[in-house]
């Protein structure tokens, strides 16, 4: 099978006002892959995802999505192109019901016609969301909210999903469950980028991994080719 | 007791009118955390629009709604999209002051065009009453105000619950960033929300014009009424808005009955100040 | 060059005040009138600036104190024949007392609630005064100064409140109270940790503002001779003050000076078209907020890199 590049980030800089958060970051994601980006707090991984999704505009460099330049696009354009971000901290709409949250996921015109089918798929993937469909989202547990955030992101029928710290603050059993579902959707062809602080879990799930430190990519490779020692050194900047 | 029957009935009906005056401001307050200080003036703009259109085309005030409501949508869309959106999100003061500026500009513009004379939207409904007992009549115009008020609020409720636009507005007010990640162009949504708010203000303006006299300077008086309803009823709840309108209108009319007509507004203000001091989040507010 | 301007600022200011002090000797009635209005609006606006620009209190109810100050002068001169300048002072005192009473209600409110709370208070006062027999309902009262006073005296009184208000705010900002306010403005976290202190500083500023606004209004109404509730307690007062401060530069000492000048100039030039001048002011204010949110002086200060009247200690 010819390898198609889903996402190519090249030489990317990004700033928060005067503070430079990304320094010449380059990264490739092939179609159908799971790519992990690991790094400590403040290493720039979330910034990278925010820049790809358009919340932040890069100050230098390019972002290509299936060969098309998307660096200057605002979020509602990148979502329409097929990139979905599961944001850090889940950010479900607390005053909307579970189903309303999911329906919001199908807001872009492209995915509205398939709303009912997508909803059914998500209910199958995460049965708990079906059981709680008419509850307000803020009555859900942390794990359920994370499933809702993922489900909501999937409702737009993305080609690429970016997951920011989805295991943060969750019990190991729940993390395992969520990862299992993610691998299941990956097997159905969805490309996934995972950002995690949890080195071991995300390395296990990934086809390819990047380690970030202070806004730069300091190490990359296939998880099997990286030694734990190597990764730890890069992670902590030793 | 007979003395109070009429003010109570009038107060209940007037409550519906107050609720529709307030609903647009309450909506925007909930979404962009902005008190639109020009809300009353924009509503009065609706009254004057109806006056001009009615005179020009020779149609009754209720028929002018067909034009006033869409025009008000674009006015709202413009005010939010081109003025308020540009100062959103930093601090509280700039949007507040921009809205204040819009209020003053509108008042003086209306003053220049229409002179300071009192106006009203003529309709034969204004003098009709339905007699109930020897001491109680239901003024038809008040009844109409209340019915239309409840109807508009119900329509808005359905819009917010059942449509993509309504859900997007609620989502954006809940978490702006997350809404953007769903593909919502939040700035555009805010402008549309203001447009919708101004549609309701347009209806309110026509009803107010049919029920009372109005001047270019009447706006702030209704802004305070709208704010009062929001304060008493709390934010973001349609039921609360109706209850708030009811309480404010009743306290005004009962106050007028007890202390004399000169104190009608005064009693409303005192109730408001007390609510603000005791429960700043409103009686029905949750935050 | 910049340094030269900066170092000689006190001399320039002293000279300016001196020149303004001899305006009555020049015999130009219009100039006298113009400068008088300028000083009165400067004092009123500087107080709004003290609240909105330094204390984080957006008051839309300054007209409460304008009306109170005016009515106290009217009542004192009419009913009790009180010495007119004492009446002005009492106007300030009563306004401060009113402020204290208002604070019982509105100091529990924050942000926009505070803003509208102050406004509602003024509206309630408006209705109260127009239903009050003692103040002749809505018909209003004439002010009968005792003794009879000349325009020159009113001018000097205005000069005192105008220059005095600037000096007062300058003094406040350099005092312990002001340092607290500045710290609060620069850093939200500071204000969180000293809740009671913040509350007290804000209250002091509110009361000082009420006192100066009330006395200034007293002088203004001596000049106007006649007071009515619909004018005295109208939101229009605060509208003007807001525009003056926004256009001049909120949170700068010089802002209200420049703003008051622009305002008086515009309103006098268009005296016969009050609506037009308000419309233009409203439009200018919106433009300023959108394009140069720091106002004329705030923007100038950024360009020049110094403040003429810097309240910060070296």
């Amino acid at each position: 099978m010819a390898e198609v590049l889903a996402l190519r980030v090249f030489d990317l800089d990004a700033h928060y006002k005067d503070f430079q958060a990304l320094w010449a970051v380059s990264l490739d994601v092939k179609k159908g892959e799971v790519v992990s980006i690991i790094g400590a707090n403040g290493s720039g991984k979330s910034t990278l995802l925010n820049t790809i999704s358009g919340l932040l505009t890069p100050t230098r460099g390019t972002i290509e999505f299936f060969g098309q330049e998307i660096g200057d696009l605002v979020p509602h354009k990148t979502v329409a192109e097929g990139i979905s971000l599961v944001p850090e901290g889940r950010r479900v709409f607390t005053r909307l019901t579970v189903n309303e949250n999911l329906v919001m996921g199908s807001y872009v015109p492209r995915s509205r016609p398939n709303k009912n089918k997508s909803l059914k798929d998500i209910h199958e993937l995460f049965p708990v969301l079906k059981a709680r469909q008419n509850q307000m989202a803020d009555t859900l547990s942390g794990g359920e909210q994370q499933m809702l955030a993922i489900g909501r992101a999937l409702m737009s029928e993305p080609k690429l999903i970016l997951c920011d710290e989805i295991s943060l603050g969750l019990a190991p059993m729940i993390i395992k469950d969520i990862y299992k579902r993610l691998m299941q959707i990956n097997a159905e062809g969805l490309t996934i980028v995972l950002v995690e602080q949890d080195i071991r879990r995300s390395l296990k799930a990934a086809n390819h991994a990047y380690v970030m430190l202070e806004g730069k990519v300091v190490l990359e490779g296939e998880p099997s080719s990286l030694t734990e020692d190597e990764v730890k050194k890069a992670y902590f900047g030793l | 007791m007979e003395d109070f029957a009429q003010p109570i009935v009038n107060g209940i009906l007037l409550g519906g009118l107050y609720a529709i005056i307030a609903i647009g401001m309450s909506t925007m307050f909930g979404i962009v955390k902005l008190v639109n200080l020009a809300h009353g003036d924009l509503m009065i703009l609706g009254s004057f629009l109806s006056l001009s259109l009615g005179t020009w085309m020779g149609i009754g005030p209720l028929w002018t709604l067909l034009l006033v409501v869409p025009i008000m949508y674009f006015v709202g869309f413009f005010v939010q999209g081109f003025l308020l959106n540009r100062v959103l999100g930093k601090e509280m003061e700039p949007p507040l002051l921009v809205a204040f500026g819009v209020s003053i500009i509108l008042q003086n513009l209306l003053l220049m065009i229409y002179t300071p004379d009192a106006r009203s939207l003529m309709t034969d409904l204004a003098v009709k009453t339905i007699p109930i007992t020897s001491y109680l009549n239901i003024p038809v115009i008040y009844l109409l105000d209340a019915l239309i008020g409840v109807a508009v609020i119900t329509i808005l409720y359905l819009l917010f619950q059942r449509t993509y636009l309504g859900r997007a507005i609620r989502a954006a007010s809940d978490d702006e960033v997350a809404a953007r990640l769903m593909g919502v162009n939040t700035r555009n949504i805010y402008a549309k929300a203001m447009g919708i708010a101004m549609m309701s203000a347009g209806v309110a303006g026509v009803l107010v014009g049919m029920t009372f006299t109005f001047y270019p300077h009447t706006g702030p008086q209704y802004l305070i009424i709208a704010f009062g309803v929001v304060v008493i009823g709390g934010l973001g709840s349609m039921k609360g808005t109706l209850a708030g309108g009811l309480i404010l209108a009743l306290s005004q009319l009962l106050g007028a009955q007890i202390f004399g007509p000169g104190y009608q507004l005064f009693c409303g203000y005192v109730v408001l100040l007390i609510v603000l001091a005791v429960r700043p989040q409103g009686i029905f507010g949750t935050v | 060059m910049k340094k030269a301007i900066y170092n000689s600022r006190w001399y320039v200011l002293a000279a300016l005040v001196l020149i303004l002090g001899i305006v009555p000797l020049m015999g130009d009635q219009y100039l006298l009138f113009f400068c008088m209005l300028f000083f009165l609006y400067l004092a009123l606006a500087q107080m709004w600036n003290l609240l909105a620009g330094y204390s984080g209190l957006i008051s839309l109810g300054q007209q409460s104190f304008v009306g109170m100050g005016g009515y106290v002068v009217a009542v004192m001169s009419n009913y009790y024949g009180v010495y007119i300048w004492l009446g002005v002072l009492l106007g300030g005192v009563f306004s401060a007392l009113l402020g204290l009473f208002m604070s019982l209600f509105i100091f529990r409110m924050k942000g926009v609630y505070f803003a509208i709370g102050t406004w509602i208070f003024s509206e309630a006062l408006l209705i109260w005064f127009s239903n009050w027999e003692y103040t002749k309902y809505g018909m209003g009262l004439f002010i009968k100064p005792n003794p009879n006073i000349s325009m020159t005296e009113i001018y000097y009184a205005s000069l005192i409140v105008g220059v005095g208000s600037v000096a007062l705010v300058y003094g406040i900002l350099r005092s312990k109270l002001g340092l607290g306010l500045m710290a609060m403005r620069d850093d939200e976290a500071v204000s969180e940790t000293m809740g009671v202190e913040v509350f007290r500083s804000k209250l002091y500023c509110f009361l000082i503002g009420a006192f100066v606004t009330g006395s200034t209004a007293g002088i203004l109404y001596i000049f106007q001779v006649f007071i009515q509730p619909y004018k005295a307690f109208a939101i229009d007062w605060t509208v003007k003050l807001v525009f003056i401060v926004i256009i001049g530069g909120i949170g700068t000492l010089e802002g209200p000076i420049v703003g008051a000048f622009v305002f008086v100039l515009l309103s006098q030039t268009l005296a016969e078209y009050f609506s037009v001048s308000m419309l233009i002011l409203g439009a200018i204010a919106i433009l300023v907020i959108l394009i140069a949110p720091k106002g004329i002086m705030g923007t100038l200060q950024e360009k020049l890199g110094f403040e003429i009247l810097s309240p910060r200690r070296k």
Side-chain angles (χ1 to χ4, degrees), chain B residues 35 87 92-93 97 100 102 104-105 108-109 111-112 220 223-224 227 262-263 265-266 269 272-273 276-277 280, chain C residues 58 108-109 111-113 116 119-121 123-124 127-128 131 239 242-243 246 275 278-279 282-283 286 289-290:
Chain B
V35 169
V87 284
M92 183 205 87
E93 290 94 345
L97 297 173
F100 201 42
V102 171
I104 301 309
I105 290 177
N108 288 289
L109 208 60
L111 194 63
M112 285 160 66
L223 167 71
I224 295 179
F227 187 75
Y263 290 96
L265 290 172
F266 185 79
Y269 295 150
L272 251 182
L273 283 171
L276 274 173
Chain C
I58 302 266
R108 299 197 50 188
M109 308 170 194
V112 69
Y113 286 88
I116 304 216
W119 188 358
I120 294 174
F121 228 104
E123 292 293 315
I127 300 173
W128 183 261
N131 282 289
V239 171
V242 171
F243 287 171
I246 296 285
S275 293
M278 289 307 277
L279 205 130
I286 289 181
I289 299 172
L290 291 182

Side-chain angles (χ1 to χ4, degrees), chain C residues 240-314:
Chain C
K240 293 174 193 166
L241 307 186
V242 171
F243 287 171
I244 289 172
V245 175
I246 296 285
I247 292 171
I250 189 166
T252 66
L253 266 171
E254 305 89 335
I257 303 177
V258 177
F261 181 76
V262 172
F263 169 75
V264 176
L265 188 69
L266 198 65
S267 63
Q268 287 314 304
T269 315
L270 294 167
E272 281 160 47
Y273 310 97
F274 179 74
S275 293
V276 181
S277 69
M278 289 307 277
L279 205 130
I280 295 175
L281 275 172
I284 296 178
I286 289 181
L287 278 178
V288 166
I289 299 172
L290 291 182
I291 296 164
K294 290 179 176 161
I296 297 176
M297 286 319 289
T299 310
L300 217 59
Q301 278 173 5
E302 265 185 356
K303 294 256 159 72
L304 290 175
F306 70 80
E307 297 170 51
I308 299 169
L309 296 169
S310 172
R312 284 170 203 267
R313 287 189 245 205
K314 293 283 138 58

Side-chain angles (χ1 to χ4, degrees), chain A residues 53-55 74-76 79 85 87 91-97 100 103-108 112 115 152, chain B residues 30 33 160-161 164-165 167-168 170-186 189:
Chain A
S53 69
L55 285 173
V74 288
H76 64 262
V79 180
L85 171 66
R91 307 192 84 137
V92 296
F93 301 114
T94 50
R95 285 175 289 166
L96 270 60
T97 65
E100 283 177 331
V103 171
M104 271 311 293
S106 66
Y107 183 81
V108 288
R112 282 188 202 187
K115 179 187 77 181
R152 188 180 63 174
Chain B
K33 316 292 175 279
F160 283 128
Q161 294 297 325
Y164 266 105
L165 176 63
R167 277 189 294 259
R170 284 161 60 217
S173 79
D174 201 8
D175 186 333
E176 194 200 338
V177 173
R180 293 176 65 196
L181 290 173
M182 298 303 108
V184 179
N185 179 352
T186 48
I189 283 290

